[in-house]
Amino acid sequence: MDHLSGMDASFLHLETPESPMHVGSLHLIDLPPGYDGDFAEDAKKYLSGRLHLAAVFVRKLAMMPFDLANPVWVDDDDLDLDHHIHHVIMPRPGTLAQLERLVGRLHSSLLDRSRPLWEMHIIEGLQTGQVALYSKMHHAAIDGQAGVAVAKALFDISDTPAPVKAPRVTRRPDASQLGMAELATAALSNAVQQYVKLIQSIPATAKAIGNVLMPVSEGTGQRKFELPKALRTAPRTPLNVSITNQRSFAARSVPLAEVKQMSKATGTSLNDIVLAICAGALRRYLADYGCKPAKPLIAAVPVSLRSEGNTDLNNQVSVMLVSLATDIADPLERLAAIHESSSEGKKLTGNVKAAIPTDFPSLGVPSLMSGLASLYGRSGLPDKLPPVANVAISNVPGPSFALYFAGAKVASYFPVSIPGHGLALNMTVQSYNGALDFGLTACRRAVPDVTDLGDYVVAEHKKLFGLIVENAAQAAAAAPVEMPVAAVVSKAPAKKRASPKVVAKKKVTANAVRAAVPKAPRKTPASKRAAALN
């Protein structure tokens, strides 16, 4: 039996009607020139021959008696494509705003746990002449990185689909009707294995905790007790409330090349730039409601625990907390602070990564977790407790080339993700074929105007790009180019060269980020007043 790991199963146990735990994606698809067929039927035929390439499409859950332990995956020999694949025709005029509202509604409903945990909706009637494909899968079966692997089963790299070998036809026993004794025995055996793994992980866990609480001082090389800088409390905002099951959604794109330019010009990571764009957009959005927290917003950023080359269709993820520095008005200063906080978060995650469990004992856990999840949302505690984070922001790398679905070119790859109690907004980003596609998923009651936030994302990207790249180009044309710190060090006499450790340290400081771009003009009282209104 294929047992769900503790991390996978937690997405089932924590699911409530208000907090569906599925992730999805929205694709705009360009039909081939002169196409006059029935794309919905062509797509269904295309999918029927490929679903066996990823187990998530052809397996379902077998629940343990009385929910005593985590369920197991079993093969579904009676897959009903008409239940999983739906054809939708949008009313006129078929605008992007209408499509966003439709995706929000489709993303609000729970998946049927008696069947494989996925759905697809082929949406026609867009005024652009394109077709949209919205899909969703339960997070218990997939995480962001595994989603890229699933995409290989759904999409092709050519408008002429490559032949796919049909699955071997075998008749399996009805695994959904496994006997109670068989399930109970399997649960007990799995629990023993989980306890063994837990005991074996104790030394690594203890070492990780020691590295976090007793880090080695860079100056003296000695260990001393200190709390990690990455751990901080978040301010309360309208985003940190109990949520309903209704969703709002916005899809926006920015050029990936421009984001990479900004990353290279400032010596920061691409993820730092994404966080800075989101920070500026959130700062403007909250200001519309008169919310200007004195403390910086905190982002919960998923971090993959997956080893390179691992494509297992399960969850291998943790979370780090990053300051969005929304209390800083200057975008470049804000980027520098985000880079510094992100570096601290990565350092902390690196110290504990090996000790973070993805599986843990589950006897008695399902009922307890489900009860606590329901109680937490209905009690209103998210509206009262200090938030740990204000928003979830995730950046998933995707293919750098065009994909094709049923012979039609995929034009975009917008992620649709999970808001939760206390985190009513999720901002997930997927890179695809030269674009960075933002999918903003929110509770409709908490963030009814998420499209405004989407517009602010695009505006903040343009603003940051202008400050970094265009100003840098003007400065380069007007004055001699200053050599980067690393280049200066490499040209120094051998006896005066800095050690590799020193060079690395200079690259990750906030001052290095500030020095990488031209200084902003000195602010006059009038310009300060204008900045305060932004």
Side-chain angles (χ1 to χ4, degrees), residues 339-490:
H339 172 75
E340 187 172 359
S341 178
S342 178
S343 298
E344 289 290 338
K346 291 175 183 176
K347 180 179 177 181
L348 176 61
T349 303
N351 286 335
V352 301
K353 182 176 181 179
I356 298 175
T358 58
D359 198 8
F360 34 83
S362 62
L363 282 178
V365 169
S367 297
L368 178 62
M369 288 186 68
S370 297
L372 290 176
S374 179
L375 177 64
Y376 180 67
R378 296 179 181 182
S379 65
L381 286 176
D383 303 286
K384 302 170 185 175
L385 294 177
V388 176
N390 301 106
V391 60
I393 301 178
S394 180
N395 181 13
V396 181
S400 58
F401 46 85
L403 298 174
Y404 292 83
F405 177 80
K409 185 178 180 180
V410 177
S412 59
Y413 207 127
F414 299 109
V416 192
S417 199
I418 305 174
H421 291 300
L423 283 175
L425 172 66
N426 186 306
M427 307 175 75
T428 302
V429 183
Q430 172 97 37
S431 60
Y432 170 67
N433 194 27
L436 207 57
D437 292 338
F438 286 75
L440 313 184
T441 315
C443 167
R444 193 173 68 184
R445 183 178 66 182
V447 192
D449 46 1
V450 71
T451 53
D452 290 347
L453 181 60
D455 292 339
Y456 291 157
V457 164
V458 176
E460 284 298 317
H461 164 80
K462 292 179 179 178
K463 181 178 181 180
L464 197 60
F465 182 76
L467 286 171
I468 294 174
V469 177
E470 295 178 6
N471 286 2
Q474 293 174 6
V481 178
E482 293 186 9
M483 300 185 70
V485 173
V488 173
V489 172
S490 66

Side-chain angles (χ1 to χ4, degrees), residues 128-149:
T128 60
Q130 295 171 301
V131 172
L133 172 67
Y134 163 73
S135 63
K136 65 180 178 182
M137 300 177 190
H138 204 285
H139 212 331
I142 193 171
D143 69 4
Q145 290 297 323
V148 176

